[in-house]
Amino acid sequence: MDNVREKIEFDVLFVGGGPANLAAAIHLIKLAKSKGLDLEVALIEKGSNIGAHVLSGAVLNPIALKELIPNYREAGCPIERDVRGDEFYFLTGTRHYRVPFVPEYMHNKGFHLISLSKFVSWLGRVAEDLGVNVFPGFAGKEVLYGQDESTIIGVRTGDKGIGKDNAPKANFEAGIDILAKVTVFGEGPRGSLLQAISKKLHIFEGKMPQVFETGTKEVIQLPETNYFLDSLGNDIHTFGYPLGLNTHGGGFIYEMKDNRVTLGLVVGLSYQDPLLDLYEEFIRFKRHPFISKLIKDGRVIEQGTRTIVTGGYYTMPKLAVDGGLFVGSSASMLNAPALKGIHTSMKSGMLAAQAIVEAFSKGDDFTQESLNYYHQLFEDSWLKKEIYMGRNFTQAVSKKGLVKFFHVGAQYLTGGRGLFDKMPIVEDSKTLSPLKDVNSRRAKRYEKQTYDGVLFVDKLTGVYLSKTQHREDQPSHLIVHDLSLCVNECFETYRCPCTRFCPGNVYELEIDDKIQEKRLRLNPSNCLHCKTCDIKDPYGNITWICPEGGDGPSYTVA
Ligand code: SF4
C-alpha cells in the first residue's frame, strides 16, 4: 500500500484546526511575507469543516486576537455579545447566593462572548484568504520520522474506505503522506499524535501528568422575553450544586445573539465517586431553580461535550523537538484560574509561528535547538506570566471541601505560589474510589431525572443535537483492550464507570440474568470525540484513536 501512497510536500504543516494552529498559520504567513519569504503552508483538520469539532464556553479575552488581526471587528469576527458584567454564584440544592468578591482574573467585562465553532470557522477563512492550504476532513493518523527516527518530517493521514474487517472496500482511498520541514501539532486535548510522540520522544519526561475537565454545553433558543435583556450581567458562573465541594467544577451561562443562551457544566476528572454520571450532573445543574428560571420555555438547538486540559505550567511538554512544535491546549496552554484557553492557545501558536519564521530566515535550521526559540519567546511573553500564575490552581480546587478556598486565597495573594509551590497532581485515571468505599446517593438521584425532549434532553437526543455522524462500516475507533476486565474486575470494583462518564452512551452494559452473563456493548458511532474515556478509565483499558477523517460531531453554533 505504501508504494501507491501519495506524497505532498509543504514548508510548514499544521495538524489540527483549532484556535492555536489557525492563529499560528495566519501569523506565520503575515510574518513570512513581511520578511520576503514565500512559504507553502498546509493545515489539516479531522472535522468535516473547520469549526465542526471545537467547543468551548466561550469567553474570549481579545488580547491575542488584537495582536493577530487588529481590526478584527471590521474584518468580520463573529462576536455574539460583549461582556457587560460578571456574576458569580454559589448554588445550594435550592438556593443561589451571589458571591460579593470576584477575583480579578475572573473579571471579563469588555471581553467577548463567542461561539468557538463560528469563531474558528472565521479564522479558517482568514487563513485561506492569506494562502494557507486548508484541508478539513483529513485526520492525522501517524507521525512520520526521518531516518534518524527522531526528526519529525510530517504526518500520514488516515485511510478512507476500510471495512469493519480491516479490509479495503471498493471506495478505498489511501491516506496521504504530508511532508514538511516543520510540523506543528495543535490537536487539542489528549491529541492522539501527541501521545504517540510522547512515547517515542519522551516530551513529557519529568513533568506532572496532564489533567482534564469535561464540559457539556448547550445552546438554547429562548422565547422573546429574555432574562438577559433586562439584566446587568450576561456572563454568569456558578459553583456548589450539583457537584458539591468535594468534586471540582462549575457551571456557566452566557448570553448569545438572537435570544439564545449558551450554558454548560464543567467537571474535573479528578472526581472519586465511580457512580458519578457527567451527563446526569449536567441535567441536574439545568434543573436547579436559579438556572431553570433563566432558561424557562427554551429549546435546546445544539449540544456537545469536550475535555479541557487544566494542569497548566507544570504539565507542559517540551515545546519543540527536531522538526516539530506543540501548541495550544495539547501543550497545556490554559489560564486555569481565569477559566480561559482560547487567547492563550492563540498566543502560543503565534509564538511558534515567530520561531518558525526565524528558523527559515536563518538558513533553514529546523533542529530542536533552533525551534526552541519558541520556548524562549514563551518565557518572555505575557502568556508565560498568565500560565505561571495558575501553576497550582487546579491542584488547589481539586482538594476536598473548604480547604480548597484557603489554597486558592493564598495563591491569589502570592501570585500563584500559595501555601507551597509545586503542589502534586494525581492522574485522573487514578482517582476513582472503589464502590465499597463510597457512600453515593447519585444513582437514586439520577433515577428521578426526567426529560421533556425539548429543554431537557437525554443522552441520545444530545448526540443527535451534536450532529454526530460516523461511517458505520469502519473499524471501531474505540479500542477496549480487554473486554473481560470490564465485565469482571471493573464491574465488581467500579460498576463500569465508562457507562457514566461517557456522555454519548457509547458504552452499554448488558446483563443477561438468565445465563448470568455480562457484556459491554459499544456504539462508536455516537462518539462525541471528547476523549473522556481515554483519560478517566481506571485501568487504561480504553484507547481512543481517530476514526475516518470527516467523522464526528458537526458543531455550528456551540
Ligand atoms: Fe467521549 Fe469516549 Fe464517549 Fe467518545 S466514547 S463520547 S470519546 S467518552
Side-chain angles (χ1 to χ4, degrees), residues 477-478 501-504 506-507 526-534 544:
H477 69 282
L478 295 151
F501 55 60
C502 171
V506 170
Y507 303 95
N526 288 358
C527 178
L528 298 160
H529 293 204
C530 70
K531 306 180 189 168
T532 306
C533 52
D534 191 293
W544 188 98

Side-chain angles (χ1 to χ4, degrees), residues 54-334:
V54 295
L55 183 86
S56 168
V59 179
L60 173 69
N61 174 345
I63 180 171
L65 181 59
K66 276 182 192 159
E67 291 175 20
L68 184 69
I69 306 172
N71 66 336
Y72 61 92
R73 280 186 193 268
E74 296 76 39
C77 174
I79 294 168
E80 296 288 319
R81 287 280 184 256
D82 291 333
V83 176
R84 290 193 300 268
D86 317 292
E87 294 176 10
F88 205 30
Y89 290 92
F90 174 66
L91 305 183
T92 66
T94 53
R95 291 171 178 266
H96 64 282
Y97 299 94
R98 184 154 178 193
V99 179
F101 170 73
V102 178
E104 206 179 320
Y105 48 66
M106 291 278 298
H107 289 183
N108 295 334
K109 196 166 178 182
F111 293 175
H112 309 310
L113 299 169
I114 59 168
S115 147
L116 188 60
S117 174
K118 284 192 203 171
F119 177 69
V120 162
S121 168
W122 171 72
L123 284 179
R125 290 194 297 277
V126 174
E128 264 186 309
D129 289 347
L130 285 168
V132 178
N133 298 281
V134 178
F135 301 116
F138 285 87
K141 200 77 173 185
E142 194 183 326
V143 180
L144 301 171
Y145 294 94
Q147 282 180 346
D148 61 1
E149 284 296 319
S150 63
T151 301
I152 293 176
I153 58 165
V155 155
R156 176 167 296 170
T157 65
D159 296 337
K160 293 186 179 182
I162 301 270
K164 262 193 192 318
D165 55 357
N166 279 312
K169 313 283 287 183
N171 59 348
F172 175 77
E173 279 174 44
I176 301 166
D177 285 353
I178 307 182
L179 306 176
K181 292 169 184 144
V182 185
T183 306
V184 184
F185 295 86
E187 300 171 279
R190 198 70 161 193
S192 309
L193 298 183
L194 189 83
Q195 287 185 79
I197 294 168
S198 171
K199 277 192 192 130
K200 194 171 175 89
L201 302 181
H202 313 292
I203 54 175
F204 285 100
E205 201 167 72
K207 304 290 175 162
M208 288 192 182
Q210 283 194 320
V211 285
F212 301 82
E213 295 174 359
T214 295
T216 300
K217 170 185 168 172
E218 286 177 346
V219 178
I220 296 177
Q221 182 72 54
L222 292 174
E224 285 297 304
T225 46
N226 184 334
Y227 160 83
F228 289 106
L229 295 179
D230 51 9
S231 160
L232 176 69
N234 56 357
D235 167 42
I236 294 173
H237 290 96
T238 70
F239 68 106
Y241 185 88
L243 302 173
L245 294 180
N246 290 343
T247 302
H248 88 266
F252 63 85
I253 179 161
Y254 306 141
E255 183 187 26
M256 296 181 87
K257 269 184 188 162
D258 304 325
N259 257 37
R260 290 174 180 171
V261 291
T262 180
L263 134 167
L265 182 76
V266 175
V267 183
L269 292 184
S270 59
Y271 71 83
Q272 294 159 350
D273 183 351
L275 296 183
L276 187 146
D277 185 312
L278 294 174
Y279 190 84
E280 298 292 354
E281 294 299 329
F282 169 65
I283 298 294
R284 291 179 70 220
F285 167 67
K286 285 178 67 183
R287 289 273 186 202
H288 188 278
F290 175 61
I291 304 298
S292 59
K293 193 173 154 203
L294 297 180
I295 55 174
K296 190 169 178 289
D297 297 330
R299 175 173 57 91
V300 181
I301 57 172
E302 194 160 288
Q303 192 192 87
T305 299
R306 193 161 164 87
T307 43
I308 308 158
V309 186
T310 55
Y313 186 75
Y314 292 131
T315 70
M316 284 172 56
K318 274 181 199 162
L319 295 181
V321 294
D322 291 334
L325 294 167
F326 310 106
V327 298
S329 60
S330 51
S332 298
M333 298 286 182
L334 179 106

Side-chain angles (χ1 to χ4, degrees), residues 283-421:
I283 298 294
R284 291 179 70 220
F285 167 67
K286 285 178 67 183
R287 289 273 186 202
H288 188 278
F290 175 61
I291 304 298
S292 59
K293 193 173 154 203
L294 297 180
I295 55 174
K296 190 169 178 289
D297 297 330
R299 175 173 57 91
V300 181
I301 57 172
E302 194 160 288
Q303 192 192 87
T305 299
R306 193 161 164 87
T307 43
I308 308 158
V309 186
T310 55
Y313 186 75
Y314 292 131
T315 70
M316 284 172 56
K318 274 181 199 162
L319 295 181
V321 294
D322 291 334
L325 294 167
F326 310 106
V327 298
S329 60
S330 51
S332 298
M333 298 286 182
L334 179 106
N335 181 336
L339 313 173
K340 284 178 202 65
I342 304 169
H343 70 290
T344 48
S345 286
M346 289 175 71
K347 182 66 180 178
S348 74
M350 290 160 70
L351 297 175
Q354 208 176 321
I356 294 168
V357 170
E358 190 71 9
F360 275 100
S361 306
K362 288 194 173 165
D364 291 7
D365 179 358
F366 309 111
T367 57
Q368 180 179 19
E369 202 183 353
S370 162
L371 294 177
N372 238 348
Y373 182 46
Y374 166 38
H375 191 105
Q376 192 186 321
L377 291 168
F378 167 79
E379 287 291 329
D380 297 338
S381 68
W382 56 256
L383 177 61
K384 153 84 188 282
K385 280 196 195 104
E386 277 198 26
I387 293 180
Y388 191 66
M389 196 263 295
R391 62 198 180 277
N392 292 302
F393 185 81
T394 300
Q395 298 91 311
V397 292
S398 304
K399 296 266 176 213
K400 282 183 167 186
L402 291 171
V403 72
K404 68 179 80 196
F405 297 113
F406 289 109
H407 283 285
V408 170
Q411 288 173 19
Y412 187 63
L413 296 173
T414 57
R417 189 182 62 80
L419 299 179
F420 56 94
D421 204 353

